[in-house]
Amino acid sequence: MRYRFSVQGMECAACRGHVLKAVSGVSGVGAPQVDLLNRVLSLEASDASVISQVKAAVEAAGYGLTPLEVTDSPKLRRDGASDRAPLGQFLATLLWGLPVCILAMAGMAGFPGPEFSWLSVSLQFLLVLPVLYVNRQIFLRGIRGLFHGSPTMESLVALAAGSGFLYPLIGLLASWWRRTSPEGVIFETPAMLLVLFTLGKWLEGGARNRATAELRALQRHSPRTATLLRGEKEESVPVEQLRVGDRCLVRPGGVVPADGVVLSGHSSVDQSAITGEWIPVEKKEGNKVLGATLNGDGVLVIQVQAAGGESLFGKVIALVEETGASRAPIARMADVICSWFVPGVLLIALGTVLGWLLLGQGWGVALARGVTVLAISCPCALGLATPVAILVATGVGAKKGVLFKDAATLEALSRVKTVVLDKTGTLTEGRPSLASIQCAPEWDEEALLAVAASLEKGSQHPLGAALVQEAEGRSLEIVGVSRFQNLSGRGVLGEVQGRLWGCGNLPLLQERGISLPEFAREQQTDKATATPLYLFSQAGVQAIFWMTDPLRKEARETVESLEKQGLSCVMLTGDRQQVADALGRQAGLTECQGELMPQDKAHWILERQKPGSGVAMVGDGINDAPALAAAQVGVAMGAGTDVALETAGVVVLNPSLMAVSQAVSLSRNTLKVVRQNLAWAFCYNLFAIPMAAGLFSPWHLVPPPWLGAAAMACSSLIVVGNALRLRKI
């Protein structure tokens, strides 16, 4: 069972590492994930007794755990729940801290008289006390982290602000004891540090909220209540109470509460919340509807087939949450550095103080340099570089109807060099129809169509479904089949009314040793883009059903878009080579492979796939499962079937094929942003920390502590702001 917790006190990448380390040390815990942006821990545990051990381990590391309510409908949490808490903390810090800074600057400006010095320093001391009190949690969490051996960003701030307070306090007490003027004693450092730190956390929180905007917008589509029909009575109930088989009424403009089938009514439904496609889809009796979609101007009565977390929308939300919390391989080096970053900075700060003292400088100069090192270092920039970009990308993808299974898949898609496209349901509309029938002279075509439809009733293939639909449209009798066999990639066999029949493609005929009759050879060359299904008995082929499936209108545009991104596109299909070549020319493809079995497609992909030159397979998620699994990245087109969600790394719910090109573009831009963020975070700390320590003092590059705090805040904001650019893709 999977459990989710809100983590208190987790503020930076170092915190994330400490929590993950604590949880991973508990036996019986599986697949732990720590979402830094939403401050959520999720894990799998075999029984509830493990949870108490997890809680104890996390609390021992200096953090708190609060179980999140487990409902059937997962909820995305807004970072920090509200902007008011960090904003209020910043305003209170500014209210008391700004006068301290003004008085300190007045003292440094040389206002005359010892009386003013005593008044100024005394007021600074009294005003800085509320600043410290307002931010007491920073000190409590920071010092607790030090005692637990898990220092964090707040530990650095607590040490910097604490040192900046204690040193002038000692100077003030010494002046009082000696009855001398407290010249040079100022409390500006802790006040300015905490003002800038709380300002940075407030701005960073707002930026994080914008990073999750798409995910929160997606969550807002989640239905809250449903109109349940109990006989003729209507009852409004929470969607969590819906069960499979319940009947629900959906009024015009209402939200469909669960996945189901229409029992009665007729309407158009806006499915953009799930597919990203804004064109409404007509729904009538017998059609499937999806939860969280918006009903049009008709009244629908639906029967629930899946509700809450089992609905497609629930699975989408859960997948988006898991992807946002997962880690991309590119972040591994940053994770290792973050685990050592804060202890390293503490050692550098200590070394800086001792170094300046050994060089003959006073305690004031030495502490100022050490405090600046603590204030300017920024592990948050390193920790946020990858997850904030991944979170924004998954939100943008979900809005467009593209789901990434995890961050590793998002990264892998950016590295592919070849895109393999299936034909039926991918390059074509996936809604084939019967164009014509050729049959042996002694047979009636409708009688043979009825036989073929009876066989194909048990098949999931789109061509078979088209035959069934045609037979039902002609009101032909579809009978039961015994000894039924579904031969993957070839066709079906079965006994209809005491006679053994088969319906499938040419490889199935060749496998059974059946040759084509004269009537089949006569017109076969005239069907360049039509796919034949052969109906045969022990006496040979009795009918050929020519099926047509039009090319998607956006197929050529998609191929051109992928090729502009430097990708080579290939079609693999089980259809005839003649059909593959004809449709390939229409789509603008230069390489098309026909007459391939599902395992042949997988073998072709494995042969083409090399390190640094990955292959992405785009298929329907059902018949292409072996090829999807063989590819470095499997991209499943379709209605988010369970097979697609389990087999493919990327699921495209948007009915437009262009979503595939958008997914590739999004993944490449995301990795570009991640690299930029990591480069910035590394370069910032590599330059800023030595500068703060005073190594650049010969060139007069010696920032004061407050400037270091400002630089630290800006560093995190730059990382988050850069990731937000992905929202415009």
Side-chain angles (χ1 to χ4, degrees), residues 172-410:
L172 177 62
L173 293 175
S175 298
W176 176 79
W177 179 262
R178 296 170 184 167
R179 300 293 191 271
T180 59
S181 175
E183 294 181 8
V185 176
I186 56 173
F187 288 88
E188 173 202 26
T189 296
M192 185 63 80
L193 279 178
L194 292 171
V195 166
L196 291 171
F197 182 74
T198 54
L199 172 62
K201 297 305 289 184
W202 172 54
L203 293 175
E204 184 183 313
R208 289 187 184 190
N209 284 337
R210 288 192 292 276
T212 59
E214 279 78 13
L215 305 189
R216 295 197 305 276
L218 184 68
Q219 180 62 53
R220 281 195 289 269
H221 290 281
S222 178
R224 305 302 174 111
T225 60
T227 303
L228 184 63
L229 295 177
R230 301 185 186 275
E232 298 301 320
K233 293 180 61 178
E234 299 179 10
E235 182 181 350
S236 180
V237 298
V239 292
E240 288 81 7
Q241 295 182 14
L242 290 180
R243 296 294 179 264
V244 175
D246 286 347
R247 294 185 306 123
C248 295
L249 178 70
V250 186
R251 292 188 171 86
V255 178
V256 178
D259 294 356
V261 62
V262 177
L263 297 178
S264 63
H266 181 275
S267 185
S268 59
V269 175
D270 178 358
Q271 300 185 145
S272 59
I274 294 177
T275 66
E277 176 58 54
W278 294 95
I279 300 176
V281 180
E282 184 181 6
K283 299 293 182 181
K284 56 185 178 181
E285 184 177 340
N287 291 156
K288 289 185 177 181
V289 290
L290 300 173
T293 56
L294 185 63
N295 187 27
D297 54 4
V299 177
L300 297 176
V301 175
I302 69 167
Q303 186 174 47
V304 175
Q305 293 181 329
E310 295 302 315
S311 68
L312 177 58
F313 184 77
K315 291 178 179 179
V316 167
I317 294 295
L319 186 61
V320 170
E321 279 193 308
E322 291 172 7
T323 303
S326 63
R327 305 293 287 172
I330 196 173
R332 288 172 184 165
M333 183 171 63
D335 288 344
V336 172
I337 292 175
C338 284
S339 65
W340 294 97
F341 188 92
V342 175
V345 169
L346 291 174
L347 290 175
I348 292 172
L350 179 61
T352 298
V353 173
L354 295 177
W356 282 105
L357 289 174
L358 291 174
L359 289 173
Q361 298 293 332
W363 277 98
V365 173
L367 281 176
R369 294 295 94 231
V371 168
T372 306
V373 168
L374 296 173
I376 207 169
S377 58
C378 189
C380 291
L382 276 173
L384 291 173
T386 301
V388 71
I390 297 296
L391 187 64
V392 174
T394 53
V396 171
K399 188 176 180 180
K400 295 178 181 292
V402 178
L403 304 178
F404 297 95
K405 202 164 190 177
D406 51 39
T409 299
L410 182 65

Side-chain angles (χ1 to χ4, degrees), residues 522-536:
E522 291 172 0
Q523 300 183 34
Q524 191 174 3
T525 55
D526 297 332
K527 310 290 185 181
T529 60
T531 300
L533 281 182
Y534 301 97
L535 178 68
F536 59 89

Side-chain angles (χ1 to χ4, degrees), residues 49-65:
S49 62
V50 176
I51 301 304
S52 59
Q53 299 177 41
V54 169
K55 188 175 182 182
V58 172
E59 288 177 348
Y63 305 91
L65 280 188

Side-chain angles (χ1 to χ4, degrees), residues 313-612:
F313 184 77
K315 291 178 179 179
V316 167
I317 294 295
L319 186 61
V320 170
E321 279 193 308
E322 291 172 7
T323 303
S326 63
R327 305 293 287 172
I330 196 173
R332 288 172 184 165
M333 183 171 63
D335 288 344
V336 172
I337 292 175
C338 284
S339 65
W340 294 97
F341 188 92
V342 175
V345 169
L346 291 174
L347 290 175
I348 292 172
L350 179 61
T352 298
V353 173
L354 295 177
W356 282 105
L357 289 174
L358 291 174
L359 289 173
Q361 298 293 332
W363 277 98
V365 173
L367 281 176
R369 294 295 94 231
V371 168
T372 306
V373 168
L374 296 173
I376 207 169
S377 58
C378 189
C380 291
L382 276 173
L384 291 173
T386 301
V388 71
I390 297 296
L391 187 64
V392 174
T394 53
V396 171
K399 188 176 180 180
K400 295 178 181 292
V402 178
L403 304 178
F404 297 95
K405 202 164 190 177
D406 51 39
T409 299
L410 182 65
E411 180 177 340
L413 184 60
S414 71
R415 303 183 191 279
V416 300
K417 302 297 182 183
T418 303
V419 175
V420 173
L421 299 158
D422 179 47
K423 180 181 76 69
T424 305
T426 302
L427 282 170
T428 65
E429 294 285 352
R431 294 190 294 270
S433 59
L434 179 62
S436 63
I437 303 176
Q438 290 177 261
C439 61
E442 65 272 19
W443 282 97
D444 175 69
E445 70 173 39
E446 289 199 342
L448 293 177
L449 177 59
V451 172
S454 299
L455 284 171
E456 295 288 357
K457 188 73 174 177
S459 169
Q460 293 184 336
H461 198 280
L463 297 179
L467 282 181
V468 174
Q469 185 178 3
E470 180 68 23
E472 290 175 343
R474 298 189 188 189
S475 301
L476 303 180
E477 182 182 5
I478 298 177
V479 299
V481 178
S482 58
R483 299 168 59 188
F484 176 79
Q485 295 181 61
N486 188 5
L487 306 175
S488 177
R490 290 165 290 168
V492 293
L493 298 174
E495 191 175 288
V496 180
Q497 295 179 338
R499 187 171 185 175
L500 188 62
W501 291 89
C503 187
N505 54 19
L506 186 60
L508 180 58
L509 293 185
Q510 295 170 343
E511 179 184 301
R512 310 290 292 188
I514 300 173
S515 59
L516 292 175
E518 288 298 325
F519 76 85
R521 297 192 183 97
E522 291 172 0
Q523 300 183 34
Q524 191 174 3
T525 55
D526 297 332
K527 310 290 185 181
T529 60
T531 300
L533 281 182
Y534 301 97
L535 178 68
F536 59 89
S537 65
Q538 292 177 338
V541 175
Q542 305 301 324
I544 304 174
F545 303 99
W546 291 95
M547 315 298 295
T548 58
D549 189 6
L551 198 70
R552 289 176 182 265
K553 59 183 180 181
E554 74 276 11
R556 191 178 188 93
E557 181 186 1
T558 301
V559 170
E560 290 175 351
S561 177
L562 290 169
E563 289 179 344
K564 285 180 181 178
Q565 297 183 61
L567 298 167
S568 60
C569 298
V570 182
M571 178 206 292
L572 298 185
T573 178
D575 212 335
R576 294 181 303 143
Q577 187 65 49
Q578 185 181 6
V579 175
D581 291 339
L583 286 174
R585 285 192 296 271
Q586 294 180 23
L589 292 165
T590 56
E591 185 176 357
C592 302
Q593 297 287 330
E595 302 175 11
L596 297 177
M597 302 291 288
Q599 61 269 26
D600 296 331
K601 296 180 184 179
H603 182 68
W604 188 96
I605 289 171
L606 290 172
E607 282 190 337
R608 185 68 65 95
Q609 201 158 247
K610 299 175 182 177

